[in-house]
Amino acid sequence: AAFLFLSFAAHACEGFSTPNSFSSARSANVGVASSVSSTQLGLFGGLFGNKKEEENTDPSIPKRVFEIPCTQIKLGGLRFCLGLYLIGQQGTPVKGSWKANQASEGVLDMYYMDNTAMFSVVLTENSVSIDRYGLTPSIQYQLQESLLLHTLLDEIQALALEGEEVDEENRLLVFSNPEEAVSDARKYLAARPLEAGDV
């Protein structure tokens, strides 16, 4: 796993097939997403009752899916852990479904196999955000993105909250609102399918 991450960090684009339109949009938009309100944006548009937003026709402007405010983030360590996690999810649900790419020090990209959209994990010193690029993401993309982001939230929650013996200052991230940070983010995703044993 360590070898995979070193390769991932040192050769971000090597071995990945990244759609040119998204690559261009990604490089042209570092920092733009912070101006997009997470309260305006959600998966499947107005399905969850959100007001219809103004239609975006610029592929270089991402949609903010959700943002988790934090009081502390250790950027290097969190990027390492989430980078390894995303590499491990490239074959979900089938081999070749996703391709991971480290776009910059604080951005991890995930490209879907149908090339209709991608999402970025954006890490700053006080937030973890998800931005989506692509004007017309397919239904299949939206479903698979939602499933993957639910599991990513599980991983983020574990890093932030599990292990009572870990002092707060030693955690990779500390939520501003520990009780509702993850549940609030899930509100912007499609409902998670029940698994065996769920009630």
Side-chain angles (χ1 to χ4, degrees):
F3 173 78
L4 283 176
F5 179 76
L6 289 174
S7 174
F8 176 81
H11 304 286
C13 297
E14 198 168 290
F16 298 103
S17 175
T18 55
N20 291 334
S21 59
F22 296 136
S23 300
S24 300
R26 190 73 200 77
S27 59
N29 250 296
V30 175
V32 171
S34 60
S35 64
V36 182
S37 170
S38 61
T39 60
Q40 296 176 311
L41 304 169
L43 195 62
F44 304 128
L47 183 61
F48 301 104
N50 294 339
K51 292 182 180 180
K52 186 176 180 180
E53 61 187 278
E54 184 177 347
E55 185 177 358
N56 172 38
T57 58
D58 186 347
S60 70
I61 298 178
K63 289 187 177 183
R64 175 61 47 91
V65 180
F66 63 73
E67 179 176 337
I68 302 177
C70 300
T71 59
Q72 167 188 298
I73 290 183
K74 298 183 186 298
L75 288 175
L78 186 60
R79 184 180 68 248
F80 178 91
C81 289
L82 296 185
L84 285 181
Y85 180 79
L86 292 176
I87 287 174
Q89 297 301 307
Q90 292 181 117
T92 303
V94 297
K95 184 177 180 180
S97 292
W98 295 94
K99 292 189 181 298
N101 178 51
Q102 182 174 318
S104 68
E105 288 299 303
V107 179
L108 302 169
D109 289 340
M110 287 291 277
Y111 298 89
Y112 191 59
M113 62 182 177
D114 70 3
N115 294 340
T116 63
M118 58 162 284
F119 72 83
S120 298
V121 182
V122 183
L123 307 177
T124 70
E125 292 183 351
N126 54 23
S127 69
V128 177
S129 305
I130 301 297
D131 291 337
R132 183 189 306 124
Y133 289 84
L135 297 179
T136 55
S138 65
I139 294 298
Q140 183 67 18
Y141 169 85
Q142 294 178 70
L143 290 171
Q144 294 305 321
E145 179 199 69
S146 181
L147 292 172
L148 181 51
L149 291 180
H150 274 299
T151 66
L152 181 65
L153 284 171
D154 291 340
E155 185 74 7
I156 291 171
Q157 181 172 258
L159 292 171
L161 301 177
E162 288 186 2
E164 296 181 359
E165 70 283 359
V166 180
D167 294 333
E168 188 172 281
E169 60 268 22
N170 293 327
R171 291 189 177 277
L172 293 179
L173 74 163
V174 178
F175 296 145
S176 297
N177 184 357
E179 294 183 357
E180 298 179 356
V182 171
S183 61
D184 284 349
R186 291 193 198 279
K187 293 176 183 178
Y188 294 96
L189 304 178
R192 188 176 198 174
L194 291 177
E195 299 178 355
D198 289 343
V199 178

